[in-house]
Every structure is written in C-alpha cells, then in structure tokens.
Amino acid sequence: MRSPSDTTVHEHDGSGDPSSHAQHGHDHTHDHGHDHGPVRLRISRRRLVWLIVGVVGVATLLIVRAVTGDGASLPGQAQDLLTLAISVIVESLPFVILGILLSIVVQAWLPNDLLQRYLPRNPVLRRFCISLFGIALPVCECGNVPLARGLVVQGFTVSESMTFLLAAPIINPVTIITTHAAFGFDDGILVARILGGLAIANIVGWVFSLHRKPHELLTPSFAAQCERGVEEHGSRMSRSIDIFVRETSVIMPALFIGALVAGAIQVAVPREVLVELGSNPLWSVLAMMLLAFVIAVCSSVDAFFILPFASTFLPGSIVTFLVFGPIIDIKMLAIMRTTFTTRTLVQLTVLVGLMSALIGLVVNVLA
C-alpha cells in the first residue's frame, strides 16, 4: 500500500519537475474497470451524523431567528449571539454551496489533467498562475475550501491548493468590485489589497512547498481521501451526488460551529475597545487584525463593513483588515480544520498575520 506522500500530496520545491506532478495527478484517477452505471451512495455512519448536525444546526438557527423575529424575543445577549451567528451563515451559505458545486465540477466533470495541462512547469510561476484562478471564480473564502479540497484530490499539491485558497477570496471579481465601490483608489487601499493578497498567497505557498512530508499538513482523514484520489466508479451523476454529500457533511458542521463561536466572541468583546486603538499606527494594525478575526465577515462585503471605520483608522490598518480577514478568522479556521491539522493552521495564522501587519505598516508609512 502506498503512503500518502507517494500519491496525491507529493510536493515540488524549486528543484522539482511539475510535469511529473501533472502526470502524478493523472494517476490519481482510479478506474477499476467497473461498470459506469448507478452505484450505491457510499456514506459512513460518522459522516451521516455530522451531516445531520450541520444541516439541522443551521436549519434550527434560521427557524429560531424566524420565530423570535415575530415577537418571541430572547434575552439580550442571546438574541445578539443568534443574530450575529445567523448573519455569518446567511452571508456564507450561498458561497459554500457554490464552492461545493465547483468542487464537483473539478472532480467529476472536468478531464483530470485539464487544469494542470496548461500550467507552467516552473513551480513559482505555476503557483502564481494558480493564485489567479480566483479571478474567474466569484466565490468567497468559505466556498473556496471545498474547491481547494477538490484540487488536492485531483492531484494538485498541498502548497498549490493553499496558494489558491489564500488568494482567491481577495482577487475574485466580486471582492474587487465591492472594494472599489467602497474606497475607489483612495490611499491605495484597493491596489494594496490585491497585491498584498497575491504576495501573501504565493509566499505562504512557497514556504509550505518546502515541507518534506506534505501529507502531514493534512488531517489524517483527508490525507486518506487524497490517497484514494478521484474515483471513477459509477456515472458522473452518481459521483457528483457522492461528492456533494461528502463535502456537505464536512463543511456544514464547521460552518455551524464557526458561526456560533464568532457570534459569541463578538458579544463578549466590546467593539469600542478596538476603536479606541485606531489612531496609533502600530496598535491600529493589530486592532484591525483582531477585529477581522472576530467579526468573520465575508470577503465579498467586508469592504462595506469596514468603510465607516476609515475616518477613525489609518489606511494601513484598513488594508490589514482587508487582507487578513478573508484568510484568517474564526469561521475560516473552523472550516479549514476539516482539511489541515491544527499545527498547520497555527503556522498559517502566524505567517499570514506577520505579513498582513507588515503590509499595513508599509501602507501607513507611504500613505
């Protein structure tokens, strides 16, 4: 039996040959010569339980909000927690579903080597091209997680998938349009956000490409799924249903729990404390990182959320919020934990935090 490092999660550093990886990705297709007719849906009891937890949890929140909205109010902080958690779910859920559908397209409907066929052979250029995938995908950060998982399953390396995951929510067309609508080209906020997001994604991707055992960056269950690769049992439609159930059972519970935690912390931390720190060049940057982490607002609308703070906070701190938030927040950590180990997420958070702070400080000096 091959180890995961021998299969899907094989990495390429500067000396690697991406063409071999592309071939390697092609090898992930497991066609066992079975009849391509309908197959029985494969879902474990554990996965079924999590699917029920996620779907029922989200549905319960929406039902309770609908009931309390008609007059049966909850105690003050409980009502605030409910409202904040539901706002996160309402913003994220459409993009999560869209991301799962795109993941199905990648895994079940596109030729296995289509995306890799035209990518450069040089690893740096290859990651840079992958970081631009988001331009064609109007999906926020939550929806990119299932899509990034699909890329790894199809044969992309962990670092390449991570590069896509970090860049896509910042350079997707909806985010760029809303950021321009909020700030225009004032103080270079839009340009700094785009360039900063691309720089962070590519640098982080390069750092993780140096890892000798990339499969150890992934959770054991997802690494095992990657080892199985793209399975071509049954028709494309049956495989699509299988992938939809599998990804929904993974992502929905994480979204439900992440939204509740984000709502609880927002209730516990007074926003006024953060605003008081806004006029200091250093503390304003750190305060905005903390605010982005706690608020967990969707990247497609975060520019409008932070716009009222622009008169209080320095431009660099606004940029820090706009590059750090789409990558690292409470909700995203909960969702990314379905794919990466805790150790990987800690390293990722530190790297992204340091680079986001540096970008913010540079903008504060130049603006």
Side-chain angles (χ1 to χ4, degrees):
M1 182 177 180
R2 294 176 294 178
S3 69
S5 58
D6 294 329
T7 56
T8 305
V9 290
H10 181 73
E11 288 282 349
H12 297 278
D13 57 20
S15 62
D17 181 3
S19 63
S20 65
H21 172 71
Q23 180 62 41
H24 171 75
H26 181 74
D27 289 343
H28 288 185
T29 298
H30 292 180
D31 187 348
H32 300 280
H34 293 182
D35 180 20
H36 284 199
V39 296
R40 183 182 176 186
L41 191 62
R42 300 181 297 278
I43 179 170
S44 67
R45 180 177 297 179
R46 179 171 176 270
R47 194 179 297 281
L48 181 61
V49 169
W50 280 113
L51 177 63
I52 294 173
V53 169
V55 173
V56 173
V58 170
T60 301
L61 282 180
L62 296 175
I63 291 172
V64 171
R65 182 68 182 91
V67 171
T68 57
D70 290 333
S73 61
L74 296 172
Q77 288 194 331
Q79 185 71 42
D80 292 343
L81 189 156
L82 183 65
T83 301
L84 292 168
I86 289 177
S87 67
V88 172
I89 290 175
V90 169
E91 285 180 355
S92 308
L93 193 56
F95 294 103
V96 169
I97 299 300
L98 179 58
I100 292 174
L101 294 178
L102 290 173
S103 180
I104 291 172
V105 171
V106 169
Q107 295 186 59
W109 295 88
L110 292 182
N112 293 316
D113 61 345
L114 179 63
L115 293 177
Q116 304 194 46
R117 189 181 305 163
Y118 302 104
L119 289 173
R121 298 169 63 87
N122 180 280
V124 175
L125 292 178
R126 181 181 172 88
R127 280 193 296 273
F128 179 73
C129 290
I130 291 172
S131 70
L132 299 177
F133 279 3
I135 293 176
L137 300 171
V139 181
C140 79
E141 62 268 27
C142 304
N144 285 320
V145 175
L147 183 52
R149 289 165 56 87
L151 292 178
V152 180
V153 172
Q154 204 192 41
F156 282 77
T157 67
V158 177
S159 63
E160 289 170 351
S161 173
M162 194 177 288
T163 301
F164 162 78
L165 182 62
L166 270 53
I170 294 177
I171 67 164
N172 85 63
V174 175
T175 300
I176 292 175
I177 290 172
T178 55
T179 305
H180 180 267
F183 297 102
F185 291 102
D186 294 345
D187 299 318
I189 290 176
L190 173 61
V191 175
R193 182 180 204 187
I194 296 174
L195 296 181
L198 287 174
I200 291 174
N202 282 275
I203 292 174
V204 171
W206 171 73
V207 170
F208 279 101
S209 74
L210 302 177
H211 200 288
R212 293 185 176 182
K213 297 179 179 179
H215 65 282
E216 294 183 354
L217 299 171
L218 304 175
T219 60
S221 60
F222 185 58
Q225 180 183 331
C226 293
E227 186 179 7
R228 292 193 297 272
V230 179
E231 299 180 351
E232 292 198 343
H233 301 283
S235 66
R236 285 177 169 174
M237 184 56 68
S238 66
R239 279 187 281 136
S240 299
I241 295 173
D242 191 28
I243 295 169
F244 182 84
V245 172
R246 185 181 65 213
E247 293 298 318
T248 303
S249 68
V250 171
I251 301 297
M252 289 293 281
L255 176 62
F256 169 60
I257 295 172
L260 280 179
V261 174
I265 293 182
Q266 288 183 66
V267 170
V269 179
R271 193 172 300 179
E272 293 77 12
V273 174
L274 299 174
V275 175
E276 288 180 1
L277 304 173
S279 58
N280 182 283
L282 175 60
W283 286 112
S284 65
V285 167
L286 299 178
M288 274 298 167
M289 289 174 59
L290 179 59
L291 182 63
F293 183 79
V294 171
I295 296 298
V297 65
C298 175
S299 64
S300 60
V301 297
D302 59 359
F304 292 119
F305 170 85
I306 205 62
L307 182 59
F309 292 82
S311 59
T312 307
F313 280 73
L314 296 171
S317 60
I318 300 295
V319 172
T320 299
F321 177 91
L322 294 174
V323 297
F324 182 76
I327 302 173
I328 303 294
D329 63 36
I330 296 171
K331 160 179 58 63
M332 273 298 286
L333 287 181
I335 296 177
M336 287 194 292
R337 185 63 184 83
T338 62
T339 304
F340 302 107
T341 64
T342 301
R343 180 187 177 89
T344 304
L345 291 181
V346 171
Q347 295 170 340
L348 178 65
T349 301
V350 171
L351 280 173
V352 174
L354 290 175
M355 284 188 282
S356 299
L358 177 62
I359 292 170
L361 292 173
V362 170
V363 173
N364 274 343
V365 172
L366 298 178

